[in-house]
Amino acid sequence: MTPVLVLERVTKRFAGHTAVDALSLTVPAGGIFGLLGPNGAGKTTTIRMILHIVLPDEGVVRLFGEAGSARDYSARIGYLPEERGLYRKMRVLDVLVFLAEMKGVERRAARASAEEWLERFGLADWRLRRVDELSKGMQQKVQFISTVLHKPSLVVLDEPFAGLDPVNAQVLKDAVLALREGGATVLFSTHIMEQAEKLCDALGIIVRGRLVASGALADIKRTSSRQHVIIGFAGDPGRAAVLFSDRALVAAVDDYGRYAELELAPGADPQRLLAELVGQGAPLSRFEIVEPSLHKIFLDLVGPEAAGEAPRA
Amino acid sequence: MRKVVAVVRREFVERVRSRWFWISSAIVPTLFGALLFLPAMLATGGAAKRLVVVDATDSGLGGSLAEALGGSGVFVATRIPAGAGVVDSLVREVGAKRLDGFVVLSEDAIASGDVQYRASNVSSLRDISELERVLSQVITVARLKRAGIDPAIMARAEQSIHLETEKISRSRTTGENAAQSFSLAYFMGIILYTVILMYGVNVKSSVLEEKTTRIVEVLVSSIRPFPLLLGKVVGVGAVSLLQLVLWVVLGRALLASRGLHGPELLGGVFEVPQISVATGTVFLAYFLGGFFIYSAMFAAVGAISSSEQEAQQAQQPIVLMLVASFLSMFVLLNDPGSKLSVALSLVPFTSPIAMPVRWAAGDLPPGEVAASLALLVAGIVGVTWVAARIYRVGILMTGKRPGVRELWRWVRAG
């Protein structure tokens, strides 16, 4: 199946710094793709290049397997910008119809479909109200509707969960999952790892404008980070503790005496560790290989220096 | 194309739906009406001033002055003979507001022309000039009498001359007289200035709103910036045309009701102009041209600003150009044929106001109108080209407002 989106060595420089640096990325059709990175990593710039809002200095953006611009496919793409906003003085229904018309939907069809969506989000009574009479949460719902009203096959959401209260975040999460059920591809950016971990089928991690990891979530977990092992002892660990300082096997240890969390050295096999422990006659009560959280992987990849934020693009 | 239509429709419908559109539709003709009627009403309003003529003459001059003042309709005057303490008691009367003022007239006045006037209000130009007029008339008669000339001969000699003016347009008389030409030019100037400024600012606000809400990001991923800008300008322009039509209709209705007050109320300066088809066409052509050239600039201002305050600052040079064209109207009305007037009506930034004003004020060679229009069209194309390039970059830019050098880079960048 052709990927929905391919970026080939896309580069964007702004005065003084490179926001996106030779970034290559493939987003498969269907499913939810997370674009992860710390603030200022180049996520928004990447999204804006995908949407043809800014043009890359180098590289190619391919949508739906072709090298046309996003404007040519605007009917098939829905986009929710990072900073939200609607025409404040317009009526809710009129805003939705207008934005759908911009996507090439015929006026009457747009109206019918807008009514339907408003009903679904519990906003039917508000359809003739002005946007600025709505609460912030309602406005966010309206904006989400405007993003998906024209039934796009690729939905691009820039930090969709930023600033949402838990209730609205839940509503949005359900809506995103429903989009996937309907066969659409969802690309969203976030710096909240827990969300990405639960939602994404695949992801790409960007740090300082470069892609540092991408692929299916399980693959990234398998390859991108060191494995963690939790060990429990029934009695005195004895000579087993000496193993913990074997740097060929263990990179770091958090030792509590009868309980220890180990981070294995790169390439180290947890099975060997187990065999060694048993060989030393350690009274094991627990030996568990823990999958690292995306959060941990992210921190490992990004490195402590990236905690200091890059300038905003 | 369907997308452009949607943009035009949105701009039009949202504006016409707003309360402000209807308020300004009603207010402007009302204000114009007030400007027309108020001075006339104020001038005729107010009670006659109560004056006393203190007569120190023995030739009966005070009596004829009091009579003449009474006949002016502005004053009610009584003559009293001069005497000891008369002036002091009159001052008290004025202080007690039982009297508005008094004139002290001595025999000496005929020779020297010096007359004293004391009153509670000596700054009313109308009263003073009326008083001077009556005084000089009475004293002139007295002087003539003293010189032994029959005042009747003088009256015949002074028979006033009435200058009938009629504008000649393209070698034929139009029936518009000087007062009509003046008021037509004046009104066209004011209306052009008001509408171009008002709706230019509207275009700016519309651009700014889409930029600050980031809706523009969604829009430009669906429609190219230039058609978006075009749709906007056309939509707002259509609203401004509708507003004009409403103003004309309401204004006409208001002027029609003027008959109730009598035409003399308006004084001689403002008269209802007869708008010929040619004049209407010139007005409309320059209105559209002016609107396009200025709204393109206003759109660029909206695009390079990121807040209303910033835009207020950035629009200063453009507003100044408009104000300058508006003020140049007075030069134009004074001397429509001067070199400066010709220049003003050729330069595309001033011609949208200058040319219709000159057209209304006097006859113009068709070649000059054609040259001005051609320059205006060229100006629109050039300005729009530059503005569209600034717009395209500016709407997606965030942060600091760019300087002139930065803007120039945007314009040059393909």
Side-chain angles (χ1 to χ4, degrees), chain B residues 188-271:
Chain B
M188 292 214 304
I190 291 181
I191 288 179
L192 283 166
Y193 169 75
T194 313
V195 179
I196 291 174
L197 181 62
M198 204 162 96
Y199 284 94
V201 168
N202 254 292
V203 170
K204 176 206 73 181
S205 306
S206 170
V207 170
L208 195 60
E209 183 190 15
E210 281 172 3
K211 181 178 169 173
T212 52
T213 55
R214 300 303 163 91
I215 296 172
V216 74
E217 288 191 10
V218 178
L219 297 182
V220 296
S221 65
S222 318
I223 178 172
R224 283 166 1 95
F226 188 67
L228 176 62
L229 177 60
L230 195 70
K232 215 170 258 310
V233 170
V234 170
V236 175
V239 181
S240 69
L241 274 180
L242 178 64
Q243 180 113 74
L244 265 184
V245 168
L246 286 173
W247 282 353
V248 168
V249 170
L250 273 169
R252 287 260 140 181
L254 234 128
L255 285 172
S257 69
R258 189 188 66 131
L260 300 173
H261 304 280
E264 77 282 356
L265 207 70
L266 286 169
V269 182
F270 288 112
E271 281 187 30

Side-chain angles (χ1 to χ4, degrees), chain B residues 331-332 335-346 358 368:
Chain B
V331 178
L332 294 165
D335 188 359
S338 72
K339 280 209 176 81
L340 178 62
S341 300
V342 175
L344 285 169
S345 54
L346 285 177
R358 265 186 81 202
E368 216 174 279

